[in-house]
Amino acid sequence: MFNFQQDPFENFELGLAAATESGLLEPIAMQLATVGTRSTLPLPSVRTVLFKGIVRGGFSFYTNYESQKALEIAENPRASALFFWNQMEQQIRISGQVEKLTRAESENYFKTRPRISQLGAWASAQSQNLDSYETLEKKFQDTEQRYNGQEIPCPPQWGGYHLLPSSFEFWFGKTGRLHERYFYQRDSISSPWKKSMKFP
């Protein structure tokens, strides 16, 4: 049950637990928006990543450090994320600073991934041009042969981030578009949360 008086992280955990128990297909799906700075007209880009838990006060996710999102984060380490649970008519928006996880944290998580996903992390030059799908399949097969019967190490170009929130917004859909919006904001990671409501 949402409680406007408590910490937003606690409210997020309650919402995620309810979404998980409701049987939603992928409640940890998180839309991540980034903006690079290299272009003369920087445009936001958004994609879906999987939320992998709160790590040291931030929302963690993993990717190739040479992907588009990683390059944009390197240029501009600020991002926004969205959890949208349509069947529950709820969404949570989060914005803040993005930082890399430690190498040890990335390697420890990598060990928990299915072997096919570990192989894929080596085979895919994420976001780079690909001449054909057959090329990707060949790279995967070569990687599979390379590590046949061996433990697969975490690639140096692969690892995690965490998004350290400076704001949260909890949205609850209501009939007649009289939605409820609860907003939390803080000036720094160590600052107290300021709470407010917004018109829908």
Side-chain angles (χ1 to χ4, degrees), residues 2 19 24 29 31 35 37 40 54 68 74 81 87 110 114 117 119-121 127 134 136 142-143 145 148 164 174 191:
F2 179 83
L24 290 181
Q31 284 70 54
V35 182
T37 59
T40 55
I54 302 294
Q68 179 182 347
Q87 291 171 298
F110 188 81
S117 298
L119 291 168
S127 298
E134 289 71 26
L136 175 59
D142 291 345
T143 305
Q145 288 182 347
N148 183 34
L164 298 157
K174 301 291 181 180
S191 298

Side-chain angles (χ1 to χ4, degrees), residues 1 13-28 85 87-88:
M1 180 66 68
E13 294 288 359
L14 288 172
L16 180 60
T20 302
E21 291 170 6
S22 74
L24 290 181
L25 181 60
E26 201 69 88
I28 60 172
W85 301 316
Q87 291 171 298
M88 297 170 58

Side-chain angles (χ1 to χ4, degrees), residues 64-193:
N64 187 308
Y65 285 145
E66 297 172 357
S67 64
Q68 179 182 347
K69 72 177 80 64
L71 295 177
E72 291 176 345
I73 289 169
E75 296 168 12
N76 176 14
R78 295 175 178 82
S80 292
L82 172 71
F83 293 86
F84 179 49
W85 301 316
N86 185 36
Q87 291 171 298
M88 297 170 58
E89 293 191 279
Q90 293 183 26
Q91 70 177 20
I92 301 174
R93 292 197 300 162
I94 304 153
S95 296
Q97 188 85 5
V98 182
E99 297 178 0
K100 278 186 177 180
L101 297 179
T102 67
R103 193 62 198 160
E105 287 167 335
S106 294
E107 289 177 352
N108 287 338
Y109 172 72
F110 188 81
K111 292 176 183 177
T112 71
R113 304 185 86 207
R115 187 174 179 85
I116 190 171
S117 298
Q118 293 178 341
L119 291 168
W122 279 100
S124 174
Q126 190 174 349
S127 298
Q128 304 305 308
N129 290 337
L130 178 65
D131 58 1
S132 71
Y133 192 75
E134 289 71 26
T135 297
L136 175 59
E137 290 179 317
K138 179 65 166 57
K139 288 193 67 175
F140 182 88
Q141 291 165 2
D142 291 345
T143 305
E144 194 170 26
Q145 288 182 347
R146 176 183 174 187
Y147 290 109
N148 183 34
Q150 302 178 47
E151 182 177 333
I152 303 171
C154 181
Q157 76 278 11
W158 189 95
Y161 293 93
H162 61 164
L163 170 60
L164 298 157
S166 57
S167 70
F168 281 84
E169 184 185 277
F170 296 85
W171 178 96
F172 299 88
K174 301 291 181 180
T175 56
R177 299 192 61 80
L178 298 178
H179 311 313
E180 293 181 55
R181 295 174 64 189
Y182 300 91
F183 190 69
Y184 295 74
Q185 189 169 27
R186 61 183 176 182
D187 298 327
S188 69
I189 298 302
S190 58
S191 298
W193 291 103

